Amino acid sequence: MLRFLIHYGIHFIVPIVIGLFFFKKNRGNVILILLSAILIDVDHVFAEPVFDPNRCSINFHPLHSYWAIGVYFVLLAFKKTRIFGIALLIHILADLTDCYLIGLQLK
C-alpha cells in the first residue's frame, strides 16, 4: 500500500504541487501538461502481461527506455519544450522510485 501511495503520489500530487508553486502565471495549463505525462504509459500495451505490478518499467517499455529518458533531458534545454521535459522526467522519477521499492520488497 505504501508503495502504491508513493508511486501515484509522485505521478499526481508532485505535478500539482510543482504547478501551484512554480508556475503561478499559467498554473492550470502547466498542471494539465504535467499530469498528461501519464500518457507515456501507453507503451505498456506492448508488454505481456500489460500490467505486472512487480515489473520495473525503466528500460523495459520503449517510452521508458534510457534513450527516451535522454530525450526527456534534452527537452529541458529549450524553453518551448521545458515543461514537457519536466513532466516526462517526473513520470520517470515515479517509475524509478517504484523500481527501487520493488527491489526492496523482493529482498
Side-chain angles (χ1 to χ4, degrees):
M1 182 60 155
L2 181 60
R3 186 177 134 217
F4 175 87
L5 291 174
I6 292 170
H7 180 78
Y8 287 102
I10 295 172
H11 272 310
F12 296 105
I13 296 170
V14 170
I16 292 169
V17 169
I18 288 173
L20 289 173
F21 287 102
F22 296 104
F23 296 94
K24 294 182 183 191
K25 187 176 179 182
N26 299 316
R27 70 175 51 141
N29 289 336
V30 168
I31 290 171
L32 286 175
I33 291 168
L34 293 173
L35 290 172
S36 71
I38 198 77
L39 293 173
I40 70 168
D41 279 342
V42 71
D43 63 0
H44 289 234
V45 301
F46 300 112
E48 181 64 37
V50 172
F51 177 73
D52 179 355
N54 292 315
R55 177 175 56 219
C56 178
S57 296
I58 303 300
N59 213 38
F60 184 85
H61 302 292
L63 296 175
H64 295 72
S65 69
Y66 296 137
W67 288 102
I69 295 167
V71 171
Y72 305 155
F73 274 105
V74 170
L75 293 174
L76 298 175
F78 306 99
K79 188 171 179 148
K80 289 187 176 193
T81 59
R82 188 167 296 139
I83 194 66
F84 296 103
I86 292 168
L88 294 165
L89 289 171
I90 291 170
H91 181 98
I92 295 299
L93 175 66
D95 289 355
L96 188 61
T97 302
D98 197 49
C99 293
Y100 175 73
L101 295 173
I102 289 169
L104 289 178
Q105 174 181 311
L106 298 176
K107 289 183 181 178

